[in-house]
């Protein structure tokens, strides 16, 4: 029987469709190219603005001053206060959310109808927009009619000012952030726990290994890549936090919560200083890039170690 011969693929595609084989790869990569352009154009524009003296109130004075905005920032005490507040907010939110998320994930590790139901209910805070959640918490912490203010008054804390006081403003926004984003970390760690191999834990149970040894020497090293991934996602989001802080306190009282994004927003839209605002965002980008690089290098190393343990 003679072998069946087929026409070249280009001829077959040309007959069945107007899309040529040579054009198809470019069409498939077009969405990625558009996304890349959509990211690079604003970024390059922000870089150019950060090198200029550009105030919308005085457009005639616009000119390149190169690194003048950065020199002015680094010599300003308000900028270093912004760095301190942003890092403190990031450390507190990520640390508390990791501890709570890990605890919740461990409680839901065993599969049952109850844990499956609780896993579904756990997603509910993530379905609320952060700005809406902040406004909801702002109403609940109102000193006149807020339900949380009433509850803490029963514990003896009368006239607790929440976000209206410099002493408790950071605690208040961290509390809202923890309520909104702890389910994200819990779900991510729960997926990691349920994906771990069962053999090391079964062998440890048969040998009568103490639970503390299993947790610190077996479970945590195997779960470290997931913990690092959750930390990276939340760290990048927390250090760029805007909606919760601005909706709750607008960066106040005073300059108590002037984090990077709020400071940049006020510089651009309140003081119309686009150049200084862009410089703040460039510093934020540099910090984010450095932290991401460090985390990704450690993540690769920890993943290889966890696979070796498995």
């Amino acid at each position: 029987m003679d072998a069946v011969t087929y026409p070249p693929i280009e001829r077959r595609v040309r007959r069945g469709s107007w899309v040529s084989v040579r054009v198809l790869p470019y069409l498939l990569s077009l969405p990625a190219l558009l996304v890349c352009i959509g990211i690079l154009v604003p970024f390059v524009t922000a870089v150019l603005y950060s090198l200029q003296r550009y105030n919308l109130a005085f457009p005639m004075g616009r000119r390149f001053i190169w690194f003048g905005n950065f020199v002015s920032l680094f010599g300003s005490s308000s900028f270093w206060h912004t760095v301190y507040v942003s890092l403190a907010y990031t450390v507190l939110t990520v640390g508390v959310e990791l501890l709570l998320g890990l605890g919740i994930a461990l409680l839901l590790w065993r599969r049952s109808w109850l844990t499956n139901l609780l896993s579904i209910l756990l997603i509910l805070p993530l379905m609320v927009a952060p700005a809406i959640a902040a406004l909801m918490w702002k109403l609940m912490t109102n000193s006149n009619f807020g339900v949380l203010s009433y509850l803490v008054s029963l514990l003896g804390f009368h006239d607790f000012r929440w976000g209206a006081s410099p002493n408790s403003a950071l605690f208040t926004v961290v509390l809202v952030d923890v309520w909104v984003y702890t389910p994200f970390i819990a779900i991510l760690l729960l997926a990691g726990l349920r994906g771990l191999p069962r053999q090391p834990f079964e062998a440890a149970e048969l040998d009568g290994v103490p639970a503390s040894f299993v947790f610190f020497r077996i479970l945590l090293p195997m779960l470290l890549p997931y913990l690092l991934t959750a930390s990276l996602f939340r760290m990048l989001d927390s250090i760029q936090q805007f909606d919760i802080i601005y909706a709750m306190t607008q960066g106040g009282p005073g300059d108590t919560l002037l984090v990077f994004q709020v400071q940049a927003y006020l510089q651009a839209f309140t003081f119309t200083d686009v150049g200084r605002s862009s410089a703040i965002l460039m510093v934020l980008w540099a910090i984010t890039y450095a932290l991401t690089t460090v985390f990704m290098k450690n993540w690769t190393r920890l993943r290889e170690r966890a696979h070796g343990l498995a």
Side-chain angles (χ1 to χ4, degrees):
M1 180 180 294
D2 296 336
V4 179
T5 58
Y6 295 97
I9 186 171
E10 290 189 12
R11 188 183 306 169
R12 283 184 282 142
V13 173
R14 198 179 297 117
R15 289 177 181 177
S17 173
W18 61 273
V19 180
S20 171
V21 174
R22 295 181 178 179
V23 178
L24 185 59
Y26 297 101
L27 290 177
L28 294 177
S29 60
L30 184 61
L33 179 62
L34 293 176
V35 170
C36 185
I37 293 174
I39 294 174
L40 288 178
V41 169
F43 179 77
V44 173
T45 303
V47 172
L48 293 177
Y49 285 167
S50 68
L51 301 176
Q52 301 178 37
R53 176 180 293 155
Y54 185 16
N55 195 311
L56 296 178
F58 307 99
M60 300 302 295
R62 179 179 178 181
R63 62 184 180 86
F64 277 96
I65 57 174
W66 303 108
F67 297 103
N69 286 321
F70 297 97
V71 173
S72 175
L73 280 179
F74 296 148
S76 170
S77 60
S78 63
F79 170 76
W80 293 110
H81 174 74
T82 295
V83 174
Y84 169 76
V85 173
S86 300
L87 294 179
Y89 180 85
T90 302
V91 171
L92 287 174
T93 54
V94 174
V96 174
E97 289 165 12
L98 274 178
L99 292 176
L100 291 178
L102 180 59
I104 295 172
L106 290 172
L107 291 175
L108 302 178
W109 189 5
R110 306 295 180 183
R111 291 183 181 272
S112 67
W113 67 270
L114 180 60
T115 57
N116 290 335
L117 177 62
L118 292 176
S119 300
I120 296 173
L121 296 178
L122 196 63
I123 306 175
L124 292 179
L126 292 174
M127 300 174 65
V128 181
I132 301 300
L135 293 176
M136 179 181 68
W137 277 80
K138 190 174 183 179
L139 291 174
M140 292 193 300
T141 56
N142 187 282
S143 58
N144 295 322
F145 54 81
V147 62
L148 290 181
S149 295
Y150 171 74
L151 292 177
V152 297
S153 67
L154 298 179
L155 300 175
F157 298 96
H158 299 284
D159 196 26
F160 190 71
R161 301 292 301 281
W162 298 97
S165 171
N167 297 324
S168 56
L170 182 60
F171 165 78
T172 303
V173 293
V174 168
L175 182 63
V176 179
D177 195 293
V178 168
W179 182 83
V180 173
Y181 291 109
T182 295
F184 169 77
I185 291 185
I187 292 171
L188 187 60
L189 296 183
L190 180 60
L193 283 172
R194 291 182 175 177
L196 294 179
R198 301 295 306 165
Q199 293 84 355
F201 303 101
E202 293 173 354
E205 186 177 356
L206 290 175
D207 294 338
V209 178
S212 59
F213 184 91
V214 173
F215 179 77
F216 289 105
R217 296 300 182 91
I218 299 178
L219 190 146
L220 273 186
M222 295 175 66
L223 197 62
L224 269 179
Y226 299 95
L227 288 169
L228 200 61
T229 302
S231 302
L232 177 61
F233 280 126
R234 285 301 305 131
M235 179 197 65
L236 295 180
D237 196 29
S238 293
I239 202 170
Q240 302 177 72
Q241 183 58 251
F242 172 79
D243 38 14
I244 291 177
I245 294 176
Y246 192 79
M248 286 287 294
T249 66
Q250 289 79 44
D255 61 349
T256 305
L257 295 177
L258 278 183
V259 295
F260 279 111
Q261 291 280 30
V262 176
Q263 181 76 284
Y265 176 85
L266 293 177
Q267 288 292 334
F269 295 99
T270 302
F271 306 111
T272 65
D273 194 342
V274 178
R276 190 177 181 90
S277 174
S278 300
I280 293 172
L281 293 179
M282 287 299 101
V283 174
L284 174 60
W285 171 83
I287 294 174
T288 305
Y289 178 79
L291 292 176
T292 305
T293 303
V294 173
F295 266 70
M296 290 306 297
K297 288 182 178 179
N298 289 318
W299 182 84
T300 303
R301 178 175 54 84
L302 291 173
R303 185 183 61 175
E304 294 174 353
R305 181 184 299 179
H307 287 173
L309 291 174

